[in-house]
Amino acid sequence: MLDGAVRHWRNPLMRRPIAALAALLAAYTPMATLAAQGAQPQVVSVELSSFKFAPAEITLRHGQTYRLHLVNASGGGHDFTAPEFFAASSVAAGDRGLIADGKVRMAGKQAIDITLTPEKAGTFPLRCSHFLHSSMGMNGRITVQ
Ligand SMILES: [Cu+2]
């Protein structure tokens, strides 16, 4: 009986599915890990209000995927204007429509989520482009390490 099993194992037809399964597992495992990382980006929350960003200093790592959770806490409109930062990032395809001319426009009490990956290290200015808002303090800085 054991002899039969050994002969079975040595049969190339019986070995091939095992080799195929091992190759499949080797190929599939890294992909599964990447998918798990992609499914859970790190959340970075930024609150907009009259007239500031909180936090005003945002530090990110290049190559890491984030979910930028923007919340407009005030009743009036603001925007998250950072054209150089957005140009230096890969934005998830489904979220690109939320950014126009480097800015995310936000109505009062609105929340917007954008999934992106900063691709280049650098320091990028952040401001609100509404009339006089930046001169009243609505400025920030995004540092990508
Ligand atoms: Cu504003």
Side-chain angles (χ1 to χ4, degrees):
M1 192 172 165
L2 181 66
D3 194 39
V6 169
R7 239 184 289 122
H8 230 69
W9 173 252
R10 285 186 177 156
N11 181 337
L13 283 175
M14 287 306 291
R15 280 207 311 245
R16 204 175 296 143
I18 293 167
L21 183 65
L24 187 71
L25 281 173
Y28 181 75
T29 305
M31 277 167 57
T33 306
L34 280 176
Q37 285 170 353
Q40 291 195 326
Q42 194 180 325
V43 177
V44 174
S45 297
V46 181
E47 187 182 89
L48 292 76
S49 59
S50 302
F51 295 95
K52 64 180 200 282
F53 291 96
E57 299 275 341
I58 301 160
T59 303
L60 307 173
R61 285 184 167 278
H62 78 275
Q64 159 83 48
T65 300
Y66 296 93
R67 186 156 64 87
L68 196 56
H69 178 64
L70 305 177
V71 178
N72 183 0
S74 73
H78 290 292
D79 60 46
F80 186 100
T81 299
E84 297 92 343
F85 169 69
F86 288 126
S89 301
S90 299
V91 178
D95 293 344
R96 282 176 204 154
L98 298 168
I99 305 162
D101 297 326
K103 78 176 70 166
V104 181
R105 295 171 196 277
M106 303 190 72
K109 301 297 179 187
Q110 190 180 11
I112 293 178
D113 287 90
I114 296 173
T115 298
L116 55 74
T117 308
E119 302 291 1
K120 290 181 197 164
T123 301
F124 307 96
L126 164 66
R127 67 189 186 95
C128 175
S129 72
H130 282 229
F131 183 62
L132 294 179
H133 286 200
S134 104
S135 61
M136 288 190 281
M138 214 163 170
N139 300 291
R141 188 164 53 186
I142 303 166
T143 302
V144 177
Q145 295 174 331

